Amino acid sequence: MLHVAPALVDAGADLELSAATMCRTPGRATCTVEGARAWVRPQGAAGWSRVPGHVIDGAYRFDVSGTLIPEGGFDYWLEFLTRAGAAEAYPPGGAQAAIRVLTATGLPERAFPTIDWNAVRAPDGVAVSMPYGRRDGQVGIQLPEGDGEIAGHGSFDVGPDGSIYVDDWVNGRIQVFSRSGRFERAFRSPVDEPADLAVAGDGSLVLGTLGEAAEAFELGPEGAVIGRYPVGYGIVSRVAVGPDGPKAMVGPSQWAAVRTVSGRPLAPELQARLQSAVAPQSDGAIGVSQSLPGGRIAFAWIRGDGSRAGAVLTLPRGVQPGSDFFVRPLDDGGAIAARGVWDATHFGVVALRFDALGRVVASSLLPEPSHHQVARFSTVRYRAPGEVLVAVDRGHGVRILRFEVR
C-alpha cells in the first residue's frame, strides 16, 4: 500500500487523501481491487462516516469534506474490496488502528523568511570529513551500472555525547566519530547494505533496511544484535528511536512500533495499532512540520510543560516545500527546524529558530545535501545545543558540515 497520511491539516477545509496498491502477484483475484472507501470519524464523534474512493490514474482518491474535520482533528482508516470478495484494511487492524490527524488550529500565521538563493551560508566548521575508501575513517561509494545512481553512505545520526555515527552502506559497517570529528571505532552491520540508522539516548542503535519487506535491527552500543524485527506493512523509508524503542516510517507521517520489549517483535496488526503520526526523539521530545495548501508549512512542537507551540509559515512566491528533516523542541519553549525548499532551478535547506511564541528569530539557507546518501531523509540532523548538521558530497569524499543556529 502506498499512502501519504497527513499529520496536520486545516480545520474545516476539504481534504484529499490518496492511495495506491501494489501486489507481488498481479492479476490474481486477491490482488485486484474493485472498490475502496475511507472511514472517517471526527474527534468526539461516536460513529464512522463512509467516504467513497474514486479511481484516478490507477490510484484511489478520497475527498473528505471539511465538515468531518473539526478543530480537534479526526481519525480514519482505508478499506479496499478485492475481486475475491475480501475487504482489506489499511492500516492492518482497521478501526482499531485508525490514523489520527490533528489540525493547525491555534498556530499563528506568519510569513516565511525571505530566501536569497545567492546567499547560501558558509559552514561554521566540519563535523566529520570522510574520503571515499574502505579504511577506518573512510566511507564507501558504489558507482552506477547503466543509468543507475551513485550510492554512498546510508545515513548518519548524532550520539548522546555529540559523536557522529555513520552508516557505511557500501562497506556494511557502522563508524563512530568523536564530537571533534576524530575516528574512534567501527563495527560490522548485521545486514548487508544497511540503509538508515538512529541512535538512542543510551548509545544503542536501530538499523533499518528500506522498501517492502523491510527489517529493523536493535543493536547495543558496541554493535551486538539485541533484536531483529520484520516490518509488517507499508514502504519503509526511515527509522527512529523513542523512549519506548525502535520505530519504522511506513509512510509519510506514519511511524510504526516494531517490538514489545527488546528482542521480541510485534505482529503487523499490533505494529499498526501502536503507530503514531510523529516519532518522538530518544528523550521523548516531539516536533513535526507538514505542508498545507496555499504554499504554507505548519511547524508544531510540544513545550516542556506539555503545551503545543508552533506557527504556520507562508512560503515566498514560487518556492515549494521539500523534505521534512526535523523539528527539535528546545528547553526555552522554542524550537529549531530544518526544512528542504526548492524552486525551478534551486534546492536548499532552511534552518529556522523559533521562540516559544512561534516567532522566527533566526533563519539561514544551507547548502543542498548529499545526492549519494541512500537515506535521503537523514542527510540533515540536529546536534545539541544548537547545531544543524548537513551531509554534502565534496570531490573525493563526504563531509558533514555544521551550522550554528544562533
Side-chain angles (χ1 to χ4, degrees):
M1 177 61 57
L2 300 175
H3 172 57
V4 178
L8 292 167
V9 299
D10 288 316
D14 294 347
L15 176 67
E16 178 184 303
L17 301 172
S18 61
T21 58
M22 299 176 60
C23 190
R24 295 189 179 91
T25 53
R28 297 180 60 182
T30 54
C31 287
T32 303
V33 177
E34 296 189 327
R37 54 200 176 197
W39 293 96
V40 178
R41 182 176 63 192
Q43 192 64 27
W48 297 89
S49 297
R50 184 174 64 179
V51 177
H54 305 285
V55 180
I56 306 291
D57 295 329
Y60 283 90
R61 189 182 74 189
F62 309 89
D63 297 317
V64 181
S65 169
T67 60
L68 296 174
I69 307 176
E71 292 185 355
F74 68 99
D75 301 328
Y76 76 94
W77 57 283
L78 308 177
E79 189 175 33
F80 298 87
L81 310 176
T82 70
R83 182 178 296 172
E88 301 290 339
Y90 185 87
Q96 300 295 323
I99 297 170
R100 168 66 53 86
V101 182
L102 302 177
T103 73
T105 299
L107 301 181
E109 298 261 358
R110 309 186 191 281
F112 202 94
T114 301
I115 297 174
D116 182 353
W117 296 109
N118 296 314
V120 177
R121 180 177 160 183
D124 294 295
V126 178
V128 174
S129 181
M130 299 172 290
Y132 292 130
R134 304 185 67 88
R135 298 178 182 174
D136 289 345
Q138 298 180 338
V139 67
I141 187 169
Q142 181 174 290
L143 299 178
E145 297 181 3
D147 295 330
E149 296 183 355
I150 295 174
H153 66 293
S155 68
F156 76 96
D157 200 10
V158 179
D161 59 353
S163 56
I164 306 295
Y165 289 67
V166 176
D167 168 9
D168 190 352
W169 184 79
V170 175
N171 293 323
R173 62 182 177 177
I174 307 301
Q175 299 193 79
V176 184
F177 297 82
S178 70
R179 188 180 183 98
S180 63
R182 182 185 68 255
F183 172 81
E184 291 192 330
R185 57 193 174 89
F187 52 86
R188 300 301 303 172
S189 166
V191 61
D192 291 337
E193 300 180 342
D196 196 23
L197 91 166
V199 184
D202 62 359
S204 60
L205 296 91
V206 177
L207 286 179
T209 59
L210 304 185
E212 289 187 276
E215 294 180 308
F217 293 80
E218 189 174 12
L219 310 180
E222 302 302 320
V225 177
I226 297 171
R228 178 177 182 174
Y229 314 121
V231 183
Y233 71 105
I235 308 296
V236 175
S237 58
R238 199 174 184 179
V239 294
V241 59
D244 57 346
K247 296 183 183 294
M249 193 179 200
V250 295
S253 299
Q254 298 172 79
W255 290 90
V258 295
R259 55 94 158 153
T260 51
V261 297
S262 293
R264 303 183 70 175
L266 274 173
E269 292 78 10
L270 292 177
Q271 289 179 12
R273 292 179 190 180
L274 295 176
Q275 73 175 3
S276 61
V278 181
Q281 302 291 328
S282 59
D283 60 2
I286 295 176
V288 64
S289 70
Q290 173 74 55
S291 300
L292 297 176
R296 298 146 62 233
I297 305 176
F299 296 85
W301 59 92
I302 304 300
R303 302 187 186 101
D305 62 4
S307 61
R308 187 175 76 157
V312 178
L313 305 186
T314 300
L315 288 164
R317 185 183 298 274
V319 177
Q320 302 293 326
S323 299
D324 168 20
F325 293 112
F326 67 79
V327 178
R328 178 68 196 197
L330 302 175
D331 291 340
D332 63 5
I336 290 178
R339 181 81 194 210
V341 291
W342 60 277
D343 68 8
T345 55
H346 306 91
F347 182 86
V349 176
V350 174
L352 301 165
R353 187 178 189 118
F354 295 90
D355 66 12
L357 299 178
R359 296 174 297 200
V360 178
V361 296
S363 68
S364 301
L365 178 64
L366 310 185
E368 183 174 5
S370 170
H371 288 280
H372 300 164
Q373 185 169 314
V374 176
R376 301 290 173 84
F377 285 111
S378 301
T379 51
V380 181
R381 297 288 198 181
Y382 169 78
R383 181 163 72 172
E387 288 184 335
V388 177
L389 304 182
V390 182
V392 298
D393 305 312
R394 285 290 185 270
H396 299 289
V398 174
R399 287 184 175 180
I400 299 176
L401 306 178
R402 63 178 189 86
F403 300 85
E404 299 174 9
V405 184
R406 304 175 184 90

